[in-house]
Amino acid sequence: RVGSKEGCAEGDCGACTVVIAELAGDTLQYRAVNACIQFLPTLDGKAMFTVESLKASDGSLHPVQQSLVDHHGSQCGFCTPGFVMSMFALYKNNPSPTRADIDDALSGNLCRCTGYRPIIDACMHMYDYPVAQDSDAQLVEQLRGLQRQQGMSLELEQASYHAPATVDELASLDQQNPSARILAGGTDVGLWVTKQLRELPLIIYLGNVKELKQISRQDGAIEIGAAVTLSDALDEIVGQFPELAEMFRRFASVPVRNAGTLVGNVANGSPIGDSMPALMVLDTRVKLRQGARVREMALADLYLDYMKNALQPGEFIEAIEIPARGEGLLLRCYKLSKRFDQDISAVCMAIALRLDDDRVADIRIALGGMAAIPKRAALTETCLRGKTWDETTVRRAMQQLGQEFTPLSDMRASADYRARAAANLLYRFYLETRPQQPLGAQAVNVFAVTG
């Protein structure tokens, strides 16, 4: 019997949560991930902690475990090991978390007994105990000994798994094997195996390519490599565009963000992927690599139809480039879903606006959940561009937006709900960004539209 459990087998419930430690320069980086969708070879050169790893050599419990015992946080016990590991990652990374930090750290762990209060209490008091005696220095030396020599790649099982060490090798492998599956974080591909029982005869893993794990900045522009995790990428973007903070906090759970990559989310191209609308309105470009050739295109032009994109055989996304923030940019991103945390959007809308006095100098609107692909509202943008930013203009644009998309009805929302919600979100954006003026009679209109 082991602590880590397989509950959902899709990275949602957190019963399988473990903590991965890897070298980041001369220090250790601890991150909670979902074991159920991790491909084993991706752990090469890393250390994995399970709940069994935390007990001290003398048999005493780790502070996070003792706090759970003392605050009655362990109930049926099925999900408890996963909670312990999420708490352990928080303990290692944040010596004084806020309540919001705790809620975020536990967002990927579902308690089947609905007893979150004592678990949160345990998180708040796990620092009251004597500091755990860790062996980080010893682990650093062990991991150094496991590191592959510069440029040394990994190949397993009759060449069915490749982990190239350089981007040139990756490009060559992909060009020679255009049917190969490119693997980044595995937060989607892992479900192909656990849920669809698919065979993946040839995998090319890009997580060992150091060039792709870089975030570079130049004159305010941000370039994010294909192997940069969502956690690191989203933190970098929010630093320059803080208006996206709530949206990205709601973007999956911490373990999923720790494993998945932003470029992987972009490459997946799901019509309900939450990163794409925000990136589109920021005028993001994608850098595509095929062998030695590199080309660029606007992210908005990458998607052609449902799960179809402009990538050619043997071509992959090497990085995305987000331009520097323009002066006077007004930016919002709205997510409508049934739950606040870790839920798929019914509608996701991002808007970027630049005004010249009271006129719309430029506007970009992108939506998810409204079409077969994440999509710019080009006709609505044209309807607004150059016009006065006022009630009349926005009402006209709301009507145009309702005609521009033909959303589907599904378990998350009806087509009518999606159309009405998208129009109301555009109006909400107007109310939040219009020139200052007394509400007067317009206060009634808010309820006429959104009530």
Side-chain angles (χ1 to χ4, degrees):
R1 182 178 297 182
V2 296
S4 299
K5 309 293 196 300
E6 182 182 85
C8 64
E10 60 187 35
D12 277 344
C13 76
C16 69
T17 305
V18 297
V19 171
I20 303 300
E22 60 182 308
L23 287 176
D26 294 328
T27 61
L28 285 172
Q29 182 182 68
Y30 288 87
R31 283 186 166 168
V33 300
N34 300 115
C36 68
I37 51 175
Q38 283 287 309
F39 286 78
L40 182 61
T42 66
L43 302 181
D44 179 57
K46 305 171 186 177
M48 186 178 77
F49 290 82
T50 67
V51 69
E52 290 87 355
S53 310
L54 302 191
K55 186 170 62 174
S57 57
D58 63 1
S60 60
L61 296 178
H62 189 279
V64 302
Q65 296 171 303
Q66 191 62 56
S67 190
L68 269 173
V69 171
D70 294 345
H71 292 87
H72 311 287
S74 179
Q75 290 135 67
C76 77
F78 186 88
C79 65
T80 301
F83 273 101
V84 169
M85 298 317 296
S86 289
M87 293 170 62
F88 174 66
L90 180 66
Y91 183 90
K92 297 293 289 188
N93 293 317
N94 190 340
S96 55
T98 64
R99 171 60 189 269
D101 293 333
I102 292 171
D103 290 349
D104 198 33
L106 300 181
S107 64
N109 296 88
L110 301 183
C111 175
R112 291 159 173 80
C113 301
T114 66
Y116 292 96
R117 184 193 57 76
I119 299 172
I120 292 170
D121 287 346
C123 287
M124 297 178 71
H125 291 281
M126 62 187 178
Y127 303 93
D128 297 347
Y129 299 83
V131 177
Q133 298 300 312
D134 57 43
S135 55
D136 281 7
Q138 181 181 354
L139 182 56
V140 167
E141 291 304 313
Q142 290 176 327
L143 292 180
R144 281 176 180 162
L146 292 174
Q147 300 307 295
R148 296 181 174 274
Q149 295 179 3
Q150 185 70 26
M152 183 179 292
S153 302
L154 175 64
E155 184 178 296
L156 295 175
E157 296 183 5
Q158 291 77 47
S160 64
Y161 176 91
H162 294 269
T166 68
V167 70
D168 289 340
E169 185 185 359
L170 168 63
S172 177
L173 276 169
D174 194 33
Q175 192 172 32
Q176 294 170 25
N177 303 279
S179 63
R181 173 55 52 192
I182 297 288
L183 174 67
T187 53
D188 185 50
V189 176
L191 274 66
W192 297 359
V193 177
T194 62
K195 292 298 184 180
Q196 301 176 18
L197 305 180
R198 286 170 60 175
E199 295 287 341
L200 303 178
L202 180 57
I203 293 175
I204 301 176
Y205 176 59
L206 51 74
N208 289 359
V209 181
K210 290 187 177 180
E211 300 106 306
L212 299 185
K213 300 176 80 170
Q214 303 300 314
I215 299 177
S216 60
R217 310 157 194 84
Q218 186 173 4
D219 299 327
I222 307 171
E223 180 172 301
I224 299 173
V228 175
T229 65
L230 280 162
S231 293
D232 292 339
L234 300 185
D235 284 348
E236 182 69 29
I237 295 171
V238 168
Q240 189 157 318
F241 303 97
E243 299 95 330
L244 301 177
E246 179 183 307
M247 170 64 188
F248 286 156
R249 181 187 165 220
R250 298 175 63 190
F251 190 110
S253 65
V254 169
V256 168
R257 296 200 299 260
N258 284 342
T261 66
L262 180 59
V263 171
N265 189 249
V266 168
N268 180 275
S270 169
I272 47 176
D274 287 338
S275 72
M276 287 80 91
L279 293 174
M280 282 180 177
V281 302
L282 295 179
D283 211 17
T284 298
R285 298 184 66 78
V286 291
K287 183 186 291 186
L288 308 178
R289 177 77 178 263
Q290 184 187 48
R293 188 188 73 158
V294 177
R295 65 184 178 116
E296 292 186 9
M297 69 168 55
L299 173 60
D301 296 331
L302 179 65
Y303 308 113
L304 306 178
D305 201 346
Y306 179 70
M307 304 309 286
K308 293 183 179 179
N309 57 44
L311 287 171
Q312 299 175 4
E315 190 173 44
F316 63 94
I317 303 177
E318 186 175 19
I320 62 170
E321 300 173 339
I322 304 173
R325 182 173 189 135
E327 185 176 354
L329 178 72
L330 298 171
L331 175 66
R332 297 291 189 278
C333 191
Y334 306 112
K335 176 183 172 85
L336 298 181
S337 59
K338 292 178 184 286
R339 299 192 310 269
F340 182 88
D341 282 312
Q342 202 179 342
D343 199 8
I344 294 174
S345 294
V347 177
C348 178
M349 173 185 276
I351 310 177
L353 169 69
R354 187 170 59 83
L355 293 173
D356 183 3
D357 292 329
D358 62 347
R359 289 192 172 273
V360 178
D362 190 28
I363 189 166
R364 292 187 291 273
I365 305 171
L367 295 105
M370 294 288 288
I373 57 174
K375 189 177 179 182
R376 288 270 295 270
L379 297 178
T380 306
E381 293 173 359
T382 301
C383 179
L384 288 166
R385 203 168 283 124
K387 306 296 194 305
T388 303
W389 189 234
D390 61 14
E391 181 91 9
T392 301
T393 299
V394 172
R395 293 283 186 180
R396 188 179 303 118
M398 290 167 64
Q399 293 178 352
Q400 175 62 63
L401 186 61
Q403 299 170 8
E404 188 165 356
F405 292 87
T406 308
L408 297 175
S409 292
D410 60 19
M411 67 184 69
R412 283 178 284 276
S414 67
D416 182 65
Y417 173 88
R418 286 186 162 103
R420 288 172 178 263
N424 285 346
L425 288 175
L426 176 58
Y427 190 71
R428 173 181 171 178
F429 178 77
Y430 164 68
L431 293 178
E432 294 176 353
T433 58
R434 64 183 174 172
Q436 293 297 317
Q437 54 184 298
L439 284 176
Q442 289 193 17
V444 177
N445 292 331
V446 176
F447 294 97
V449 174
T450 64

